Amino acid sequence: MPRVTRDGVSIYYERDERADGTAGEPVVFVQGLGYGRWMWRWQREALASEFDVIAPDNRGTGRSDTGLPPGVSKLPRRLRAPLLSTLGSYSIEGMAADLEAVLEDAGIFDAHIVGASMGGMIAQQYAVDYSRAASLTLCCTSHGGPDAVPIPEETREHVFSTPKGLSERERLRHRMRPAFSERFTNRNPHLVDRIIEWRLEQDAPEPAVEAQAGAVRSFDIADRLDQIRVPTLVVHGTADRVIPVENARLLETKIPDATLETVEGGSHCVFIEASDAVNDHLRSFLRDRLRPNASA
């Protein structure tokens, strides 16, 4: 499987060609905070017949290296978390540079970039700093900074302050509750169990989650959004309890060529809960931007 090294850190990525074996335009999926490649399985399956798919593991996630000093990673959480979320954190700029290294290594000169949550932040930064983005799709994300609508304190407390004594599976289940609607979790217990297994297999370890969280906290691209010169689709659930939907409306206003599609009642993981609706929006948006000589 392909890897590329940037700044001494090995970044893993997957590349899937169109199901019929012919060349298709590349679509790149960028993950959210701590989440593994599993989070995009519904979208990857939906696009497999029409597009090539690139799916990197963010720095610190899945098969990519963490790039964190070994000594820091082994510290007790009470000492480690404050350090990795501030001075020792990753940066969105750095993860955008990792994405550029992946696309260069893959020989891709332009691609449709799809990012959710933190991945949407990386996508925005990438479109501003580099030239390979043909379009952006920004799901359940924010431009960051003081003008953004913040994560509700109740959600922040639920995600980052888990009760003591929980098993790893119980901790993951507790942390991800705000990202899904109660209706979804109650009606899909078996899928939720599968998601937890995928998370155990592919998600970032705790120190890398803390370093990614620091990158999200320091992200602010609000005053550079007018530099995004590619068509942009913004998708957001109206009931997102992690990144409120008002952030999507800010992106629509500030990005010159942006279109907003809201999913009524959609959660933060709207691309899972309402995958059919999100896939329809994404497929329609991408089809409208196929190059004239691209095979259908």
Side-chain angles (χ1 to χ4, degrees):
M1 290 296 181
R3 289 180 172 274
V4 63
T5 299
R6 191 196 74 80
D7 194 26
V9 176
S10 177
I11 304 297
Y12 170 85
Y13 66 96
E14 291 183 344
R15 183 171 189 174
D16 302 326
E17 295 182 349
R18 276 172 46 145
D20 64 4
T22 61
E25 292 194 22
V27 178
V28 183
F29 289 100
V30 191
Q31 303 146 215
L33 196 160
Y35 279 34
R37 281 168 283 105
W38 66 267
M39 65 173 273
W40 291 118
R41 64 188 301 121
W42 292 266
Q43 287 66 49
R44 291 175 67 174
E45 290 174 2
L47 299 183
S49 64
E50 300 178 63
F51 298 90
D52 291 348
V53 170
I54 308 292
D57 275 339
N58 289 328
R59 174 176 295 239
T61 305
R63 299 183 185 180
S64 290
D65 292 346
T66 66
L68 298 174
V72 172
S73 297
K74 294 178 181 178
L75 289 172
R77 186 179 186 280
R78 62 184 177 82
L79 300 176
R80 182 192 69 224
L83 177 62
L84 289 180
S85 64
T86 53
L87 295 177
S89 75
Y90 300 147
S91 69
I92 299 297
E93 293 91 340
M95 286 187 278
D98 292 342
L99 178 56
E100 170 70 359
V102 165
L103 296 187
E104 182 175 3
D105 185 71
I108 292 172
F109 297 100
D110 53 51
H112 305 283
I113 313 295
V114 183
S117 198
M118 183 186 77
M121 298 176 183
I122 296 169
Q124 293 170 67
Q125 189 74 51
Y126 184 81
V128 167
D129 289 346
Y130 302 98
S131 60
R132 299 179 202 255
S135 74
L136 296 184
T137 299
L138 307 175
C139 299
C140 51
T141 193
S142 161
H143 59 53
D147 293 336
V149 180
I151 299 173
E153 189 55 41
E154 179 182 1
T155 296
R156 191 184 300 276
E157 182 72 16
H158 197 100
V159 171
F160 292 106
S161 298
T162 54
K164 294 181 179 179
L166 298 182
S167 69
E168 184 67 7
R169 285 174 173 79
E170 291 169 337
R171 183 182 65 82
L172 286 172
R173 188 181 298 271
H174 176 85
R175 282 188 168 184
M176 74 182 194
R177 277 194 177 277
F180 292 91
S181 68
E182 292 295 329
R183 179 178 180 180
F184 177 83
T185 54
N186 291 338
R187 291 189 174 189
N188 298 277
H190 297 300
L191 177 54
V192 172
D193 287 342
R194 288 173 65 193
I195 288 173
I196 289 172
E197 293 303 318
W198 292 331
R199 296 197 68 180
L200 287 168
E201 179 185 355
Q202 296 184 20
D203 277 14
E206 197 67 16
V209 170
E210 293 157 3
Q212 290 182 8
V216 169
R217 290 191 191 99
S218 63
F219 176 68
D220 180 1
I221 204 169
D223 63 354
R224 299 184 68 193
L225 290 179
D226 61 352
Q227 298 176 31
I228 296 178
R229 299 297 183 181
V230 296
T232 301
L233 172 65
V234 180
V235 180
H236 216 109
T238 61
D240 191 331
R241 293 186 287 168
V242 180
I243 297 181
V245 68
E246 289 80 7
N247 289 289
R249 300 187 177 108
L250 290 171
L251 290 171
E252 180 194 25
T253 299
K254 295 182 178 185
I255 296 174
D257 186 9
T259 301
L260 172 62
E261 297 286 356
T262 57
V263 178
E264 189 63 33
S267 68
H268 187 60
C269 286
V270 65
F271 45 88
I272 297 174
E273 285 198 32
S275 59
D276 288 346
V278 171
N279 291 345
D280 286 345
H281 290 312
L282 177 58
R283 201 161 28 221
S284 176
F285 175 74
L286 293 176
R287 283 173 177 168
D288 287 345
R289 280 145 193 89
L290 286 171
R291 292 188 297 269
N293 60 344
S295 53

